[in-house]
Amino acid sequence: MLSPCINICSIDTQSGFCVGCGRTISEITGWMAFSDHERQNLVRLLPVRMTSMSSGESHATANLTEMPA
């Protein structure tokens, strides 16, 4: 699976998510070590995270930091 990175790498201080791809720093750095299943689960979260960032929610409020099993 390709990375969701779009080369707009900046962490939103309120949400803790990258403004370009929606991942956390630990998800970005761990991407290559994740299984395909873990990557797919994370990719499913990204659109909701991006929406939560644009609405000003923090990741704690949005509860979108955990990848589903």
Side-chain angles (χ1 to χ4, degrees):
M1 172 177 272
L2 295 175
S3 169
C5 180
I6 59 169
N7 295 318
I8 301 175
C9 305
S10 177
I11 300 299
D12 177 76
T13 56
Q14 184 173 353
S15 68
F17 302 135
C18 174
V19 298
C21 68
R23 296 178 294 169
T24 64
I25 291 173
S26 62
E27 291 165 347
I28 292 167
T29 59
W31 184 257
M32 295 305 293
F34 292 165
S35 69
D36 285 342
H37 179 74
E38 289 171 316
R39 291 178 189 172
Q40 290 168 353
N41 285 336
L42 178 55
V43 167
R44 285 189 202 112
L45 293 175
L46 300 181
V48 178
R49 287 181 176 183
M50 297 300 284
T51 300
S52 75
M53 270 194 298
S54 66
S55 68
E57 292 182 64
S58 70
H59 69 261
T61 303
N63 195 26
L64 301 171
T65 59
E66 298 298 319
M67 294 188 297

